[in-house]
Amino acid sequence: MEASLEIPKGGFSFDLCKRNAWLESQANYGSSSIIKKAKKTGTTIAGIIFKDGVVLGADTRATSGPIVADKNCEKIHYLAPNIFCCGAGTSADCENVTEMMASNLTLHRLNTGRECRVITAVTMLSQYLFRYQGYISAALVVGGVDSTGPSLYTIHPHGSVDQLPFVTMGSGSLAAMAVFEAGYQEGLERQPGIDLVRAAIQSGIDNDLGSGSNVDITVITPEGVQRFRNLDKAEPKYKSKNPLFYPKGTTKYYDEIISKVAIIEGDAMEQ
Amino acid sequence: MKTKPVAEPSTRTQQPIVTGTGVLGIKYNGGVMLACDTLGSYGSLARFRTVKRLEKVGDFTVVGASGDLSDFQKISSMLREMSTSDSAYDDGCNMTPRDIHQYLGRVMYNRRNKFDPLWNELVVAGFRDGKPFLGAVDLIGTMYEDDIIATSFGNYVCLPLMRKAGTNLSKEEAKQVMENCLRVLYYRNTKSSTKIQIATVSAEGVEIGEPFEISTYWGYSAFQHTEYHGKRL
């Protein structure tokens, strides 16, 4: 019987490269394009470490090119009871990688009889993504609380890891990071922490076209996890200065000619 | 059989060489404020540490530039020439900030049509007869007017913060917003520096401040970690 945890064979796995190269060559034949546009989460995801734990935030828009594919998707994924993961990049990649890791972490928990550490999830994810050399387009923000305290990591699609007190990823990452750089302090209380992440995600939603809709928040503390789905609903904040209604008299006129229009019976062409 | 080498077509400006990064502009209560850093980058080398990228034009306007600095020097001399001939007319009429914005827009667009652009993103700020003006022109001739403007990298990092701050600010508050935005720009932009310059245009006229250094904060306890493998020092 196979070991319950799938231990990968050594070295890189390039099984699908040949197939991908063939698919790419097919795309050049214009109309019958085999390659479908991957549903990407043009995204704003963010996380901070506050006094007692971690706050993770994400927008809820999934895009397929210029089209909004899902107005209200969930980007904060479950990894373990004490570890959650936000995902940016290709939706399928994020979904499947996090689900697979969640399964592996459950098995790990059962094998060891202990609560998972965040670093375990991060190491497993980064080694997995590195094996695929960036072809799995999943940019992740992993946050959680374990026996060593709260921690927050980012993992890029190629497998590099950063451990930081505040992080953002996705197309709206710069807008969100701007809010963090301006507003982050050490040892934030719970509500100010949540408000800061909300403001950062909102900044991404307002200023990045790939992000939009609602704000999801997840708060992880030693006591447990609180998930706020759609904490902030979509609301257009920018109101155009140009009036949509032009009152009578907006256009100045200098002369007024009123003519009576006569209705003649019969075919007008005969006249 | 050797084929004759085909002559390369004549080419014009294809890439900026010495560049300045983002310029920020915001309207506040009583005027308009522009801010930028004073770095002239030579690719990835921080070459020229004190470059004045904000220039006074006439008595009512300031023009700020990001992008190729030699092209901005050309634009500056064009604006000076225009300003001189304007006052030489001596007809009691001077160009308004909006006229300067329009002039730059036409110049940039015409150059783009000749495939020889002046590789800049310009910000025009002015205050005349109690009316503030803030607009931008880019290398392809796009003309845009708004209460809050940013160029280059500032669009991604500073514009969200300036939009949050809004335009209902006093002069001191606006200066604080500009400083904070340029600090965040320095944190997140590789081509930025901490030496910045702020210019204001108001009823009192044009005031371009001297360059000064802004502070940065690196004291987070989390930055003390040297390894990420769960070890805490």
Side-chain angles (χ1 to χ4, degrees), chain A residues 133-161:
Chain A
Q133 290 289 287
Y135 281 97
I136 294 186
S137 176
L140 308 167
V141 168
V142 181
V145 179
D146 54 29
S147 54
T148 63
S151 48
L152 190 60
Y153 300 83
T154 53
I155 309 172
H156 287 81
H158 283 265
S160 64
V161 177

PDB file of all heavy atoms in Angstrom, chain A residues 133-161:
ATOM      1  N   GLN A 133       8.583  25.301 -11.770  1.00  0.00           N
ATOM      2  CA  GLN A 133       9.312  26.393 -12.438  1.00  0.00           C
ATOM      3  C   GLN A 133       8.459  27.596 -12.836  1.00  0.00           C
ATOM      4  O   GLN A 133       8.721  28.221 -13.854  1.00  0.00           O
ATOM      5  CB  GLN A 133      10.030  25.846 -13.693  1.00  0.00           C
ATOM      6  CG  GLN A 133      11.197  24.921 -13.337  1.00  0.00           C
ATOM      7  CD  GLN A 133      12.359  25.679 -12.751  1.00  0.00           C
ATOM      8  OE1 GLN A 133      13.069  26.387 -13.447  1.00  0.00           O
ATOM      9  NE2 GLN A 133      12.571  25.537 -11.452  1.00  0.00           N
ATOM     10  N   GLY A 134       7.449  27.897 -12.061  1.00  0.00           N
ATOM     11  CA  GLY A 134       6.656  29.084 -12.352  1.00  0.00           C
ATOM     12  C   GLY A 134       5.491  28.853 -13.293  1.00  0.00           C
ATOM     13  O   GLY A 134       4.688  29.748 -13.532  1.00  0.00           O
ATOM     14  N   TYR A 135       5.380  27.630 -13.840  1.00  0.00           N
ATOM     15  CA  TYR A 135       4.264  27.341 -14.747  1.00  0.00           C
ATOM     16  C   TYR A 135       2.948  27.269 -14.005  1.00  0.00           C
ATOM     17  O   TYR A 135       1.890  27.489 -14.574  1.00  0.00           O
ATOM     18  CB  TYR A 135       4.516  26.036 -15.526  1.00  0.00           C
ATOM     19  CG  TYR A 135       5.456  26.261 -16.681  1.00  0.00           C
ATOM     20  CD1 TYR A 135       6.813  25.981 -16.567  1.00  0.00           C
ATOM     21  CD2 TYR A 135       4.981  26.802 -17.880  1.00  0.00           C
ATOM     22  CE1 TYR A 135       7.669  26.218 -17.616  1.00  0.00           C
ATOM     23  CE2 TYR A 135       5.840  27.041 -18.938  1.00  0.00           C
ATOM     24  CZ  TYR A 135       7.184  26.751 -18.803  1.00  0.00           C
ATOM     25  OH  TYR A 135       8.037  26.985 -19.849  1.00  0.00           O
ATOM     26  N   ILE A 136       2.997  26.944 -12.721  1.00  0.00           N
ATOM     27  CA  ILE A 136       1.777  27.030 -11.907  1.00  0.00           C
ATOM     28  C   ILE A 136       1.715  28.462 -11.400  1.00  0.00           C
ATOM     29  O   ILE A 136       2.482  28.879 -10.533  1.00  0.00           O
ATOM     30  CB  ILE A 136       1.814  26.017 -10.742  1.00  0.00           C
ATOM     31  CG1 ILE A 136       1.789  24.608 -11.323  1.00  0.00           C
ATOM     32  CG2 ILE A 136       0.635  26.243  -9.825  1.00  0.00           C
ATOM     33  CD1 ILE A 136       1.667  23.513 -10.291  1.00  0.00           C
ATOM     34  N   SER A 137       0.794  29.229 -11.979  1.00  0.00           N
ATOM     35  CA  SER A 137       0.761  30.658 -11.713  1.00  0.00           C
ATOM     36  C   SER A 137      -0.053  30.952 -10.459  1.00  0.00           C
ATOM     37  O   SER A 137      -1.182  31.419 -10.529  1.00  0.00           O
ATOM     38  CB  SER A 137       0.168  31.373 -12.933  1.00  0.00           C
ATOM     39  OG  SER A 137       0.032  32.726 -12.674  1.00  0.00           O
ATOM     40  N   ALA A 138       0.530  30.623  -9.298  1.00  0.00           N
ATOM     41  CA  ALA A 138      -0.156  30.888  -8.034  1.00  0.00           C
ATOM     42  C   ALA A 138       0.734  31.771  -7.174  1.00  0.00           C
ATOM     43  O   ALA A 138       1.836  31.373  -6.795  1.00  0.00           O
ATOM     44  CB  ALA A 138      -0.449  29.568  -7.313  1.00  0.00           C
ATOM     45  N   ALA A 139       0.279  32.982  -6.899  1.00  0.00           N
ATOM     46  CA  ALA A 139       1.000  33.891  -6.000  1.00  0.00           C
ATOM     47  C   ALA A 139       0.201  33.931  -4.706  1.00  0.00           C
ATOM     48  O   ALA A 139      -0.967  34.307  -4.709  1.00  0.00           O
ATOM     49  CB  ALA A 139       1.098  35.280  -6.614  1.00  0.00           C
ATOM     50  N   LEU A 140       0.831  33.499  -3.622  1.00  0.00           N
ATOM     51  CA  LEU A 140       0.055  33.248  -2.398  1.00  0.00           C
ATOM     52  C   LEU A 140       0.501  34.122  -1.236  1.00  0.00           C
ATOM     53  O   LEU A 140       1.678  34.456  -1.110  1.00  0.00           O
ATOM     54  CB  LEU A 140       0.216  31.777  -1.991  1.00  0.00           C
ATOM     55  CG  LEU A 140      -0.081  30.749  -3.086  1.00  0.00           C
ATOM     56  CD1 LEU A 140       0.403  29.377  -2.667  1.00  0.00           C
ATOM     57  CD2 LEU A 140      -1.561  30.698  -3.378  1.00  0.00           C
ATOM     58  N   VAL A 141      -0.464  34.467  -0.395  1.00  0.00           N
ATOM     59  CA  VAL A 141      -0.181  35.113   0.887  1.00  0.00           C
ATOM     60  C   VAL A 141      -0.640  34.122   1.954  1.00  0.00           C
ATOM     61  O   VAL A 141      -1.829  33.872   2.093  1.00  0.00           O
ATOM     62  CB  VAL A 141      -0.926  36.453   1.018  1.00  0.00           C
ATOM     63  CG1 VAL A 141      -0.860  36.967   2.449  1.00  0.00           C
ATOM     64  CG2 VAL A 141      -0.354  37.475   0.067  1.00  0.00           C
ATOM     65  N   VAL A 142       0.307  33.540   2.679  1.00  0.00           N
ATOM     66  CA  VAL A 142      -0.033  32.515   3.674  1.00  0.00           C
ATOM     67  C   VAL A 142       0.116  33.116   5.057  1.00  0.00           C
ATOM     68  O   VAL A 142       1.167  33.659   5.403  1.00  0.00           O
ATOM     69  CB  VAL A 142       0.912  31.292   3.531  1.00  0.00           C
ATOM     70  CG1 VAL A 142       0.523  30.225   4.544  1.00  0.00           C
ATOM     71  CG2 VAL A 142       0.857  30.733   2.129  1.00  0.00           C
ATOM     72  N   GLY A 143      -0.953  33.042   5.843  1.00  0.00           N
ATOM     73  CA  GLY A 143      -0.875  33.600   7.191  1.00  0.00           C
ATOM     74  C   GLY A 143      -1.496  32.667   8.196  1.00  0.00           C
ATOM     75  O   GLY A 143      -2.430  31.927   7.875  1.00  0.00           O
ATOM     76  N   GLY A 144      -0.994  32.666   9.407  1.00  0.00           N
ATOM     77  CA  GLY A 144      -1.584  31.809  10.436  1.00  0.00           C
ATOM     78  C   GLY A 144      -0.918  31.999  11.770  1.00  0.00           C
ATOM     79  O   GLY A 144       0.082  32.714  11.903  1.00  0.00           O
ATOM     80  N   VAL A 145      -1.495  31.331  12.770  1.00  0.00           N
ATOM     81  CA  VAL A 145      -0.951  31.394  14.121  1.00  0.00           C
ATOM     82  C   VAL A 145      -0.646  29.979  14.567  1.00  0.00           C
ATOM     83  O   VAL A 145      -1.485  29.094  14.463  1.00  0.00           O
ATOM     84  CB  VAL A 145      -1.962  32.047  15.085  1.00  0.00           C
ATOM     85  CG1 VAL A 145      -1.406  32.080  16.498  1.00  0.00           C
ATOM     86  CG2 VAL A 145      -2.295  33.454  14.625  1.00  0.00           C
ATOM     87  N   ASP A 146       0.576  29.743  15.060  1.00  0.00           N
ATOM     88  CA  ASP A 146       0.911  28.410  15.569  1.00  0.00           C
ATOM     89  C   ASP A 146       1.656  28.555  16.896  1.00  0.00           C
ATOM     90  O   ASP A 146       1.646  29.619  17.508  1.00  0.00           O
ATOM     91  CB  ASP A 146       1.746  27.641  14.528  1.00  0.00           C
ATOM     92  CG  ASP A 146       2.976  28.410  14.097  1.00  0.00           C
ATOM     93  OD1 ASP A 146       3.508  29.211  14.889  1.00  0.00           O
ATOM     94  OD2 ASP A 146       3.416  28.211  12.948  1.00  0.00           O
ATOM     95  N   SER A 147       2.308  27.473  17.315  1.00  0.00           N
ATOM     96  CA  SER A 147       2.961  27.496  18.623  1.00  0.00           C
ATOM     97  C   SER A 147       4.080  28.526  18.705  1.00  0.00           C
ATOM     98  O   SER A 147       4.437  28.970  19.793  1.00  0.00           O
ATOM     99  CB  SER A 147       3.514  26.103  18.937  1.00  0.00           C
ATOM    100  OG  SER A 147       4.347  25.682  17.872  1.00  0.00           O
ATOM    101  N   THR A 148       4.624  28.938  17.566  1.00  0.00           N
ATOM    102  CA  THR A 148       5.706  29.938  17.608  1.00  0.00           C
ATOM    103  C   THR A 148       5.170  31.363  17.507  1.00  0.00           C
ATOM    104  O   THR A 148       5.937  32.318  17.503  1.00  0.00           O
ATOM    105  CB  THR A 148       6.709  29.708  16.458  1.00  0.00           C
ATOM    106  OG1 THR A 148       6.019  29.894  15.222  1.00  0.00           O
ATOM    107  CG2 THR A 148       7.316  28.330  16.502  1.00  0.00           C
ATOM    108  N   GLY A 149       3.870  31.501  17.341  1.00  0.00           N
ATOM    109  CA  GLY A 149       3.295  32.848  17.245  1.00  0.00           C
ATOM    110  C   GLY A 149       2.678  33.109  15.882  1.00  0.00           C
ATOM    111  O   GLY A 149       2.598  32.213  15.041  1.00  0.00           O
ATOM    112  N   PRO A 150       2.215  34.345  15.628  1.00  0.00           N
ATOM    113  CA  PRO A 150       1.632  34.649  14.325  1.00  0.00           C
ATOM    114  C   PRO A 150       2.728  34.853  13.280  1.00  0.00           C
ATOM    115  O   PRO A 150       3.807  35.371  13.603  1.00  0.00           O
ATOM    116  CB  PRO A 150       0.871  35.958  14.565  1.00  0.00           C
ATOM    117  CG  PRO A 150       1.544  36.586  15.722  1.00  0.00           C
ATOM    118  CD  PRO A 150       2.169  35.504  16.533  1.00  0.00           C
ATOM    119  N   SER A 151       2.473  34.397  12.057  1.00  0.00           N
ATOM    120  CA  SER A 151       3.437  34.672  10.996  1.00  0.00           C
ATOM    121  C   SER A 151       2.742  34.821   9.648  1.00  0.00           C
ATOM    122  O   SER A 151       1.635  34.345   9.455  1.00  0.00           O
ATOM    123  CB  SER A 151       4.517  33.592  10.929  1.00  0.00           C
ATOM    124  OG  SER A 151       3.942  32.315  10.950  1.00  0.00           O
ATOM    125  N   LEU A 152       3.428  35.501   8.747  1.00  0.00           N
ATOM    126  CA  LEU A 152       2.866  35.884   7.455  1.00  0.00           C
ATOM    127  C   LEU A 152       3.941  35.732   6.389  1.00  0.00           C
ATOM    128  O   LEU A 152       5.057  36.205   6.558  1.00  0.00           O
ATOM    129  CB  LEU A 152       2.423  37.343   7.549  1.00  0.00           C
ATOM    130  CG  LEU A 152       1.598  37.952   6.441  1.00  0.00           C
ATOM    131  CD1 LEU A 152       0.303  37.209   6.256  1.00  0.00           C
ATOM    132  CD2 LEU A 152       1.317  39.405   6.782  1.00  0.00           C
ATOM    133  N   TYR A 153       3.593  35.043   5.308  1.00  0.00           N
ATOM    134  CA  TYR A 153       4.563  34.806   4.240  1.00  0.00           C
ATOM    135  C   TYR A 153       3.932  35.096   2.889  1.00  0.00           C
ATOM    136  O   TYR A 153       2.739  34.931   2.710  1.00  0.00           O
ATOM    137  CB  TYR A 153       5.015  33.337   4.218  1.00  0.00           C
ATOM    138  CG  TYR A 153       5.672  32.858   5.478  1.00  0.00           C
ATOM    139  CD1 TYR A 153       4.906  32.436   6.558  1.00  0.00           C
ATOM    140  CD2 TYR A 153       7.053  32.798   5.581  1.00  0.00           C
ATOM    141  CE1 TYR A 153       5.511  31.978   7.715  1.00  0.00           C
ATOM    142  CE2 TYR A 153       7.665  32.336   6.732  1.00  0.00           C
ATOM    143  CZ  TYR A 153       6.884  31.929   7.809  1.00  0.00           C
ATOM    144  OH  TYR A 153       7.484  31.472   8.951  1.00  0.00           O
ATOM    145  N   THR A 154       4.775  35.488   1.904  1.00  0.00           N
ATOM    146  CA  THR A 154       4.301  35.488   0.518  1.00  0.00           C
ATOM    147  C   THR A 154       5.095  34.441  -0.242  1.00  0.00           C
ATOM    148  O   THR A 154       6.282  34.249   0.015  1.00  0.00           O
ATOM    149  CB  THR A 154       4.541  36.814  -0.219  1.00  0.00           C
ATOM    150  OG1 THR A 154       5.913  37.161  -0.107  1.00  0.00           O
ATOM    151  CG2 THR A 154       3.691  37.916   0.288  1.00  0.00           C
ATOM    152  N   ILE A 155       4.425  33.781  -1.183  1.00  0.00           N
ATOM    153  CA  ILE A 155       5.095  32.818  -2.052  1.00  0.00           C
ATOM    154  C   ILE A 155       4.816  33.221  -3.480  1.00  0.00           C
ATOM    155  O   ILE A 155       3.664  33.367  -3.874  1.00  0.00           O
ATOM    156  CB  ILE A 155       4.586  31.384  -1.811  1.00  0.00           C
ATOM    157  CG1 ILE A 155       4.633  31.055  -0.314  1.00  0.00           C
ATOM    158  CG2 ILE A 155       5.435  30.388  -2.587  1.00  0.00           C
ATOM    159  CD1 ILE A 155       3.986  29.743   0.031  1.00  0.00           C
ATOM    160  N   HIS A 156       5.874  33.442  -4.265  1.00  0.00           N
ATOM    161  CA  HIS A 156       5.710  33.804  -5.674  1.00  0.00           C
ATOM    162  C   HIS A 156       5.607  32.540  -6.527  1.00  0.00           C
ATOM    163  O   HIS A 156       6.046  31.474  -6.110  1.00  0.00           O
ATOM    164  CB  HIS A 156       6.894  34.659  -6.124  1.00  0.00           C
ATOM    165  CG  HIS A 156       6.842  36.040  -5.578  1.00  0.00           C
ATOM    166  ND1 HIS A 156       7.262  36.350  -4.300  1.00  0.00           N
ATOM    167  CD2 HIS A 156       6.398  37.208  -6.102  1.00  0.00           C
ATOM    168  CE1 HIS A 156       7.080  37.641  -4.078  1.00  0.00           C
ATOM    169  NE2 HIS A 156       6.563  38.175  -5.165  1.00  0.00           N
ATOM    170  N   PRO A 157       5.041  32.654  -7.747  1.00  0.00           N
ATOM    171  CA  PRO A 157       4.839  31.456  -8.580  1.00  0.00           C
ATOM    172  C   PRO A 157       6.113  30.630  -8.813  1.00  0.00           C
ATOM    173  O   PRO A 157       6.028  29.420  -8.986  1.00  0.00           O
ATOM    174  CB  PRO A 157       4.316  32.026  -9.904  1.00  0.00           C
ATOM    175  CG  PRO A 157       3.641  33.279  -9.515  1.00  0.00           C
ATOM    176  CD  PRO A 157       4.407  33.840  -8.378  1.00  0.00           C
ATOM    177  N   HIS A 158       7.281  31.292  -8.808  1.00  0.00           N
ATOM    178  CA  HIS A 158       8.504  30.513  -9.040  1.00  0.00           C
ATOM    179  C   HIS A 158       9.003  29.814  -7.790  1.00  0.00           C
ATOM    180  O   HIS A 158       9.944  29.028  -7.874  1.00  0.00           O
ATOM    181  CB  HIS A 158       9.594  31.419  -9.613  1.00  0.00           C
ATOM    182  CG  HIS A 158       9.390  31.715 -11.054  1.00  0.00           C
ATOM    183  ND1 HIS A 158       9.992  30.987 -12.051  1.00  0.00           N
ATOM    184  CD2 HIS A 158       8.620  32.636 -11.675  1.00  0.00           C
ATOM    185  CE1 HIS A 158       9.618  31.460 -13.219  1.00  0.00           C
ATOM    186  NE2 HIS A 158       8.785  32.454 -13.026  1.00  0.00           N
ATOM    187  N   GLY A 159       8.394  30.130  -6.657  1.00  0.00           N
ATOM    188  CA  GLY A 159       8.748  29.399  -5.448  1.00  0.00           C
ATOM    189  C   GLY A 159       9.521  30.196  -4.416  1.00  0.00           C
ATOM    190  O   GLY A 159       9.944  29.631  -3.405  1.00  0.00           O
ATOM    191  N   SER A 160       9.724  31.492  -4.638  1.00  0.00           N
ATOM    192  CA  SER A 160      10.478  32.265  -3.649  1.00  0.00           C
ATOM    193  C   SER A 160       9.552  32.687  -2.511  1.00  0.00           C
ATOM    194  O   SER A 160       8.353  32.884  -2.712  1.00  0.00           O
ATOM    195  CB  SER A 160      11.110  33.502  -4.284  1.00  0.00           C
ATOM    196  OG  SER A 160      10.117  34.370  -4.753  1.00  0.00           O
ATOM    197  N   VAL A 161      10.120  32.808  -1.344  1.00  0.00           N
ATOM    198  CA  VAL A 161       9.332  33.078  -0.139  1.00  0.00           C
ATOM    199  C   VAL A 161       9.842  34.348   0.535  1.00  0.00           C
ATOM    200  O   VAL A 161      11.047  34.587   0.584  1.00  0.00           O
ATOM    201  CB  VAL A 161       9.437  31.907   0.862  1.00  0.00           C
ATOM    202  CG1 VAL A 161       8.690  32.213   2.144  1.00  0.00           C
ATOM    203  CG2 VAL A 161       8.903  30.641   0.236  1.00  0.00           C
TER     204      VAL A 161
END
